[in-house]
Amino acid sequence: MSEKLIVIAGGGGFIGGHLVADVVRQGHKNIRVIDRKSISDWWQVFPNLDNRQLDLQLKDACEQALEDATDVYNLAADMGGMGFIEKNKALCMLSVLINTHMLTAAKKHKVKRFFYASSACVYAADKQVSEKVIALKESDAYPAMPEDGYGWEKLFSERMCRHFREDFGMYTRMARFHNVYGPNGTWDGGREKAPAAICRKVIQAKLSGKHEIEIWGDGNQTRSFMYIDDCLKGIQMIMESEIEEPLNLGSDELVSINQLVDIAEDIAGVKLKRSYNLKAPKGVNGRNSDNDLIKKYLGWAPDTRLRKGLEKTYAWIYNQIKNNRHSPIY
């Protein structure tokens, strides 16, 4: 394989850890992995790589991270599920420092290719007011009114990537992730996303014998959820493509949160009494990915069915709980 230096920022996290594992499987060895957390708290660690604990909100850290780099995947951000991003808007906004310093360092070190992980939270709120949402096209991000805090940071960072490309000739690629889930990710502690949280709650209810579950919101809010394997494939296809504008990367299999609980219950073989916390963070009423553009440009779109991916996620979280493990503390 090529001796180019691949840098994966946020590589100690969920998606970043899986991306590291995938490029290692492909035969790459010259990989630098960066994360703010202690290496002992990374979700996946490969000892033979150049693993570094650096805070990429700092300019000097970004310059260290990208020295001699060829390809950069910037997945680093201070983020979590809805319970985190609705209550930590300032922390989410501070992630703009990461992409600012990373782009500046990439320009300085003449990085050949730069990938930025954006989010479906950039989409205008008035397009997501109904559970029967019309799937979001890439153009629906404007006129801009994204999710407060996290969504604004992602949209601003997209524009930075665009202008670094236009003004400095940099090779930048962007994907808007829609609710990525799978094993080896946060499932408790407050930063977990809906699939992991629901799996955890169902497992705990089954193991405790207390067959009850609390659902945030009324359960009618709708989403699509993309399995991690599809995310990895999409990231690398987009990086290799000629697509310069942000592109949706998500499943278009729309389900309600109640239906997500139905699937988790069926996997567990239990039926739970449901209570609804209408004061808990729930996000927009409906969000789904329009995959017309990714199909047009790449001839592919995420296609792992939710049931199949959730079975693997459930099994992994079940083992974590049975073995009394917990998500790392950030």
Side-chain angles (χ1 to χ4, degrees), residues 138 178 225-227 229-235 237-238 247-253 288-305:
E138 284 78 359
H178 287 249
F225 299 99
M226 172 174 55
Y227 190 61
D229 289 357
D230 287 337
C231 183
L232 301 177
K233 182 175 181 179
I235 287 171
M237 290 179 76
I238 290 169
L247 194 61
N248 275 338
L249 184 55
S251 168
D252 59 5
E253 181 186 356
N288 194 17
S289 178
D290 184 304
N291 287 343
D292 286 350
L293 272 185
I294 195 169
K295 289 176 181 176
K296 174 182 176 181
Y297 290 134
L298 302 182
W300 171 86
D303 59 2
T304 300
R305 302 298 295 177

Side-chain angles (χ1 to χ4, degrees), residues 79-272:
M79 58 84 69
M82 194 52 59
F84 177 81
I85 65 175
E86 283 202 3
K87 296 178 180 178
N88 295 276
K89 294 183 175 68
L91 286 179
C92 291
M93 288 294 289
L94 283 172
S95 291
V96 75
L97 294 172
I98 299 174
N99 205 48
T100 301
H101 295 320
M102 287 287 280
L103 282 167
T104 303
K107 176 177 176 289
K108 176 180 178 179
H109 289 298
K110 297 181 171 55
V111 165
K112 291 186 177 178
R113 305 194 301 180
F114 187 99
F115 175 88
Y116 177 65
S118 186
S119 166
C121 289
V122 303
Y123 284 112
D126 63 1
K127 302 283 187 179
Q128 304 170 79
V129 295
S130 171
E131 295 88 354
K132 298 178 181 178
V133 64
I134 297 173
L136 294 161
K137 292 177 166 43
E138 284 78 359
S139 58
D140 288 329
Y142 295 95
M145 186 50 68
E147 195 131 353
D148 201 9
Y150 182 68
W152 275 110
E153 185 277 321
K154 289 296 186 184
L155 192 62
F156 179 81
S157 292
E158 283 187 6
R159 301 298 289 192
M160 288 197 70
C161 288
R162 170 179 173 172
H163 295 311
F164 268 67
R165 172 177 56 81
E166 292 174 340
D167 293 0
F168 306 126
M170 284 182 57
Y171 182 113
T172 60
R173 298 293 183 263
M174 295 163 275
R176 293 173 178 163
F177 294 171
H178 287 249
N179 297 309
V180 189
Y181 73 99
N184 289 298
T186 303
W187 56 273
D188 68 349
R191 289 181 182 252
E192 65 275 17
K193 295 187 177 181
I198 295 300
C199 284
R200 184 198 75 240
K201 290 179 179 182
V202 170
I203 292 164
Q204 290 173 335
K206 179 177 180 178
L207 293 176
S208 69
K210 187 178 180 181
H211 289 184
E212 299 176 359
I213 186 171
E214 181 187 83
I215 297 171
W216 287 7
D218 60 11
N220 294 317
Q221 62 269 34
T222 53
R223 297 288 187 277
S224 63
F225 299 99
M226 172 174 55
Y227 190 61
I228 183 63
D229 289 357
D230 287 337
C231 183
L232 301 177
K233 182 175 181 179
I235 287 171
Q236 292 168 88
M237 290 179 76
I238 290 169
M239 180 66 131
E240 299 286 342
S241 77
E242 298 301 316
I243 306 163
E244 295 177 336
E245 298 303 311
L247 194 61
N248 275 338
L249 184 55
S251 168
D252 59 5
E253 181 186 356
L254 187 69
V255 297
S256 69
I257 297 301
N258 277 326
Q259 290 171 323
L260 178 63
V261 176
D262 289 341
I263 296 171
E265 286 179 336
D266 191 53
I267 293 169
V270 296
K271 199 68 180 172
L272 307 178

